[in-house]
Amino acid sequence: MDLREFFIEDRLEKFRTEALCNLGESGVRNLDLDTLAEYLSLDLRDLGRLSLADSPNSGRKDLREEISKLYNNVSPDQVLVTTGTGEALFIAFHLLLEKGDLTSLFWPAFQALYEVPRSIGANLQKVDLLPRLESKELGFGKENLNKLFQNSPKLIIFNHPHNPTGIIAEEEDKKELRKLSGNFPNWILFDEHYRFLSDEEDLGWSGLGICENSISTGSITKCFGVMGLRIGWLIGPKDWISKARSMKDYLTHTVSPISEFLTLKLLQNRRVLQSKIRDTLRGNVRTFAQATASTGKLPGVESFKEPRGGVVGFAKLQEGLDSRKFADLLYRKAGVFVLPSADFETEGYIRLGFGETEERFCLGLERWSTLGSDVIALLNR
């Protein structure tokens, strides 16, 4: 099968750079190089002494060492540095899946997590999280976790903190996962892009190592506002990572030495920036939750459950609203960019990113609050 158009990225490409208030991104508002250097106490003259020769195909050793420290019992030989997590996922899916294989994942999902398996010819087993999101309960829940493992899938994709709902693996979820994975003979991929933004500890929980055939993807780009560095990683058993590196030779081959250098410095000095970003995210989530709790203050939104981790959340729209038409209206009339749930191949929600600056976020909500009559007109079309 062919890869279809990337619905989410198409809309991002169209609106993200021009929006007065960008709530469509799934990452933190991007920094400029001077600001990043200030946070990291970095002398940018060091860049002038950096060789522009190819990096090692696996990634420079000191960077792989630093990444390995983010996990328990992982060696640098188990780390492959990739051009974002997109490349890491593409490699993993092509190594693990064949036509007809069953792939199980939570739904709705970020398109790259299912579109590439679908293009290979894998069958999708979707576990619907929306009833859980609309309940008062936290976490993924025992029933949903058991559904992931039904029918002995060749690959389970466990995305957490979950994009787009913001659900995280709570303690009961972790216990259930350990139980279910104990006798699971196939592969589990933990897509863990937002571990740096856990509310509870320095790093969020990783499922890597929960079973012998577990692998993980991660990145610094969305969590630290450095999307342009395009650095991600893939972690797994040493022999399997060797195969992944061989496949990467046919794709990007190596990543930029400049991106690797800045990523290394960021990981070595991440905690100050991490703390600042968490404070901004918490403030924006709290502001949005308060606005939606006030009847009619944010026209079009029926309910909102605060995300427990990551950068994004899924807000439920008033019944009868078309998510794409509402997102278009919000951008056209208020300059506020959000992603419609139709781009996640479901309906009735919008995905919000909370990584904007506090000033732009509040200004966006203020402009949004004036759209009452426009939303009513949209409902009555």
Side-chain angles (χ1 to χ4, degrees):
M1 293 185 191
D2 294 330
L3 285 167
R4 296 177 297 168
E5 63 181 293
F6 206 141
F7 312 121
I8 295 168
E9 293 299 331
D10 283 353
R11 186 169 284 260
L12 283 165
E13 185 68 12
K14 188 175 180 181
F15 295 118
R16 64 186 171 88
T17 58
E18 304 297 329
L20 295 174
C21 177
N22 184 355
L23 307 186
E25 296 271 16
S26 56
V28 171
R29 187 167 187 83
N30 290 293
L31 303 172
D32 58 45
L33 187 54
D34 276 341
T35 304
L36 179 65
E38 184 179 341
Y39 283 130
L40 302 182
S41 300
L42 176 65
D43 187 343
L44 289 179
R45 288 174 296 183
D46 290 342
L47 284 172
R49 294 183 283 274
L50 188 66
S51 170
L52 295 180
D54 267 352
S55 295
N57 294 13
S58 297
R60 56 186 281 177
K61 186 178 180 182
D62 51 1
L63 176 57
R64 288 186 288 114
E65 288 173 346
E66 200 64 35
I67 292 169
S68 71
K69 295 175 186 177
L70 304 172
Y71 301 85
N72 294 323
N73 303 314
V74 168
S75 71
D77 290 338
Q78 293 176 259
V79 179
L80 177 66
V81 178
T82 59
T83 303
T85 53
E87 184 180 48
L89 291 166
F90 190 89
I91 291 171
F93 293 144
H94 278 83
L95 287 178
L96 296 177
L97 294 172
E98 297 177 354
K99 185 176 181 179
D101 285 341
L102 183 64
T103 302
S104 187
L105 77 166
F106 292 128
W107 193 263
F110 184 64
Q111 193 173 348
L113 292 179
Y114 65 88
E115 190 65 31
V116 178
R118 177 191 164 278
S119 74
I120 294 169
N123 298 314
L124 300 178
Q125 179 169 268
K126 303 173 183 177
V127 179
D128 186 6
L129 284 181
L130 294 181
R132 186 75 178 184
L133 178 67
E134 292 178 21
S135 75
K136 293 183 180 180
E137 297 178 283
L138 298 178
F140 295 100
K142 184 175 181 179
E143 181 181 356
N144 289 326
L145 292 172
N146 276 268
K147 286 179 180 177
L148 272 185
F149 284 79
Q150 283 179 357
N151 303 312
S152 196
K154 179 70 176 295
L155 174 66
I156 291 173
I157 301 169
F158 193 88
N159 168 226
H160 78 104
H162 183 253
N163 178 7
T165 67
I167 294 173
I168 67 168
E170 305 285 351
E171 287 305 316
E172 288 302 311
D173 295 325
K174 297 171 193 175
K175 290 178 185 176
E176 188 66 19
L177 265 174
R178 292 187 187 100
K179 175 185 166 185
L180 292 166
S181 62
N183 297 314
F184 185 65
N186 296 324
W187 290 85
I188 306 177
L189 186 156
F190 290 92
D191 181 44
E192 303 172 326
H193 209 113
Y194 296 122
R195 283 187 66 214
F196 295 103
L197 299 178
S198 168
D199 229 8
E200 301 163 11
E201 51 193 313
D202 174 43
L203 284 171
W205 174 79
S206 172
L208 186 71
I210 203 167
C211 63
E212 186 176 342
N213 292 335
S214 61
I215 59 176
S216 177
T217 56
S219 177
I220 44 87
T221 58
K222 292 184 179 182
C223 290
F224 291 100
V226 289
M227 286 291 292
L229 294 185
R230 306 308 307 161
I231 291 284
W233 52 82
L234 178 60
I235 300 181
K238 183 178 175 181
D239 290 345
W240 187 85
I241 285 294
S242 180
K243 293 177 184 177
R245 196 232 73 205
S246 182
M247 185 176 180
K248 179 172 175 275
D249 291 344
Y250 285 100
L251 300 171
T252 60
H253 191 62
T254 65
V255 299
S256 163
I258 298 173
S259 291
E260 282 196 319
F261 172 80
L262 292 172
T263 300
L264 175 64
K265 296 301 180 185
L266 195 157
L267 286 174
Q268 289 172 335
N269 302 279
R270 61 185 165 84
R271 284 178 173 80
V272 172
L273 187 52
Q274 220 170 325
S275 176
K276 178 179 175 59
I277 289 169
R278 280 177 179 159
D279 288 345
T280 299
L281 286 173
R282 289 191 194 107
N284 286 345
V285 169
R286 189 165 52 245
T287 298
F288 189 83
Q290 291 169 350
T292 56
S294 304
T295 304
K297 188 165 183 183
L298 284 184
V301 176
E302 180 180 306
S303 62
F304 172 68
K305 186 175 182 178
E306 293 186 30
R308 291 272 290 148
V311 179
V312 299
F314 225 34
K316 188 174 183 179
L317 294 176
Q318 288 176 247
E319 188 172 351
L321 279 179
D322 178 286
S323 64
R324 280 201 176 108
K325 290 179 180 177
F326 179 75
D328 289 345
L329 172 76
L330 200 55
Y331 182 81
R332 189 173 66 253
K333 295 284 188 176
V336 176
F337 172 44
V338 299
L339 279 181
S341 62
D343 287 348
F344 291 85
E345 303 194 69
T346 190
E347 195 46 84
Y349 297 80
I350 51 173
R351 193 195 72 178
L352 300 143
F354 297 96
E356 260 289 16
T357 64
E358 184 178 355
E359 181 182 4
R360 289 166 66 102
F361 189 85
C362 290
L363 178 61
L365 296 197
E366 184 179 326
R367 294 168 65 94
W368 185 341
S369 69
T370 66
L371 297 182
S373 59
D374 295 281
V375 174
I376 292 170
L378 195 59
L379 274 167
N380 292 329
R381 277 186 185 176

